[in-house]
Amino acid sequence: MESYSFQVSEDSGGIRLDVFVTRALPQISRTQVQRLIDEGSILVGGKPVKANYRLSAGEIIFCQVPPAKPLCVAAEQIELNIVYEDCDLLVVNKPQGMVVHPANGNLTGTLVNALLHHCSDLSGINGVLRPGIVHRIDKDTSGLLVITKNDLAHQNLAQQIKEHTVKRVYLALVHGVIEEPGGLIEAPIGRDLRDRQKMAVVFKNSKVAVTEYQVLERLGEYTLVECRLKTGRTHQIRVHMAYLKHPVVGDSKYGPKKVHLGFEGQALHAKTLGFSHPRTAVWLEFSAEPPLQFLKVLKKLGSLYEMDKKCVEGVEAID
């Protein structure tokens, strides 16, 4: 157990407790700090307070940070589609149907299980069940993810995501015909007020969410669109397209329950990922074709759209 104490300076007066501690202890994430506050391991003036407590100059903060727990997730020999790898990170093309990280009742068969078999050096900032995971995509969404091998890379990429400088472009097949050529969806997302298992466009306890979309093809009763994330909220594209009354094909949570076009899971693919390398600052950009099921559906609809046949674009290996 490591112990720390801090005195709040005049300049830090009025700052939230969780923000202050995250800045003071950059080796742990804000999520971890909030968990420690909830557990009573972070005190202000010897008393427990909430994470959103506003500090006053002169107050003393005491923190107890427990040692990292041994990893309890098993490594599994599961094939990975790795499109890039170096000593700091790797980029993988996750198949549709694979969960990114373990959770209670689901500790095997995930991307993390496969990563632990592939390499032992993964960043630990997100905890023992999510080593290396900086951002996620849904189980039934396919496509590109960046995985970090050390905390330096993790913190740098997490900051890039926070500052919205990471390029994330998705391909989606949606219900209905979108008449306009594209647009910008600016609608806050939070927990659905009637169903806590879902997200929704709500204006209470929500976060800013922005998605830019462009129509690529109109295919009978469907539209193929390209969506660019300006923010990264849970289920953002799925929620925003449903908000426009054009839910993603195969998305039974936010769209029709009936299976359309024989598509299992949602017709949503993270096709482009770009970011500055955390060590060299060189811009890296990758692209990956959607899975065969997606391509077959597009062909069935008479689509003329073709992705670049290269899986990786303009990337040079970094030593």
Side-chain angles (χ1 to χ4, degrees):
M1 184 79 69
E2 295 186 13
S3 298
Y4 304 87
S5 62
F6 308 97
Q7 184 171 28
V8 181
S9 66
E10 291 287 344
D11 293 341
S12 297
I15 293 178
R16 285 173 53 122
L17 173 62
D18 56 349
V19 173
F20 179 92
V21 176
T22 302
R23 291 175 181 174
L25 299 174
Q27 70 271 29
I28 59 178
S29 69
R30 187 170 174 181
T31 300
Q32 288 174 295
V33 168
Q34 291 171 340
R35 189 182 306 121
L36 291 173
I37 293 171
D38 291 339
E39 294 171 353
S41 296
I42 297 178
L43 306 174
V44 178
K47 297 179 181 179
V49 295
K50 294 185 177 181
N52 62 357
Y53 174 82
R54 297 286 176 174
L55 296 167
S56 298
E59 286 185 306
I60 303 298
I61 300 169
F62 178 72
C63 310
Q64 285 189 311
V65 181
K69 296 179 182 178
L71 191 61
C72 57
V73 180
E76 296 181 54
Q77 190 170 355
I78 301 172
E79 184 177 355
L80 286 172
N81 183 354
I82 299 173
V83 299
Y84 176 80
E85 182 173 12
D86 63 23
C87 62
D88 292 303
L89 57 88
L90 62 158
V91 175
V92 299
N93 184 9
K94 186 189 81 69
Q96 187 180 55
M98 175 181 273
V99 175
V100 170
H101 64 78
N104 290 332
N106 184 32
L107 294 175
T108 62
T110 73
L111 178 62
V112 164
N113 295 108
L115 289 167
L116 289 172
H117 183 271
H118 175 74
C119 58
S120 58
D121 50 344
L122 295 170
S123 64
I125 288 177
N126 255 344
V128 296
L129 294 181
R130 293 184 285 179
I133 303 300
V134 185
H135 64 120
R136 293 173 287 173
I137 56 178
D138 300 329
K139 172 186 175 182
D140 289 320
T141 299
S142 57
L144 298 172
L145 280 169
V146 60
I147 311 297
T148 53
K149 294 184 176 182
N150 53 65
D151 289 352
L152 179 149
H154 190 121
Q155 290 170 335
N156 182 284
L157 281 164
Q159 186 64 28
Q160 290 186 53
I161 291 173
K162 182 178 179 180
E163 294 174 354
H164 312 307
T165 58
V166 173
K167 181 178 180 180
R168 288 181 285 175
V169 182
Y170 287 69
L171 194 67
L173 183 67
V174 302
H175 288 276
V177 178
I178 301 178
E179 299 293 345
E180 61 273 13
L184 192 68
I185 309 169
E186 298 180 271
I189 291 176
R191 289 287 172 189
D192 190 306
L193 301 179
R194 293 173 295 181
D195 184 351
R196 301 298 292 175
Q197 300 301 312
K198 296 171 65 176
M199 308 302 288
V201 171
V202 293
F203 297 88
K204 181 180 179 181
N205 297 326
S206 57
K207 294 182 179 180
V208 172
V210 183
T211 304
E212 182 182 0
Y213 71 94
Q214 178 185 355
V215 170
L216 299 178
E217 279 187 308
R218 298 176 182 89
L219 302 165
E221 299 176 359
Y222 306 92
T223 304
L224 182 66
V225 295
E226 185 177 89
C227 297
R228 183 182 295 243
L229 290 179
K230 299 295 185 179
T231 57
R233 308 305 175 204
T234 302
H235 300 171
Q236 180 171 315
I237 292 173
R238 297 165 62 191
V239 171
H240 272 172
M241 296 315 295
Y243 179 67
L244 293 186
K245 308 300 182 186
H246 294 288
V248 175
V249 170
D251 187 356
S252 60
K253 183 182 284 287
Y254 299 106
K257 302 295 182 184
K258 177 184 175 182
V259 175
H260 285 250
L261 301 172
F263 208 99
E264 298 178 5
Q266 56 254 9
L268 184 61
H269 175 71
K271 73 163 192 171
T272 304
L273 178 64
F275 53 86
S276 294
H277 191 279
R279 189 177 299 274
T280 67
V282 172
W283 180 258
L284 304 178
E285 187 165 319
F286 308 87
S287 67
E289 287 202 39
L292 186 60
Q293 177 187 208
F294 202 140
L295 294 174
K296 284 182 176 179
V297 167
L298 291 182
K299 183 177 180 180
K300 180 179 179 180
L301 292 173
S303 172
L304 299 177
Y305 177 73
E306 289 188 9
M307 288 192 66
D308 194 321
K309 297 302 181 183
K310 295 180 292 183
C311 289
V312 182
E313 295 180 339
V315 178
E316 294 183 358
I318 297 175
D319 295 328

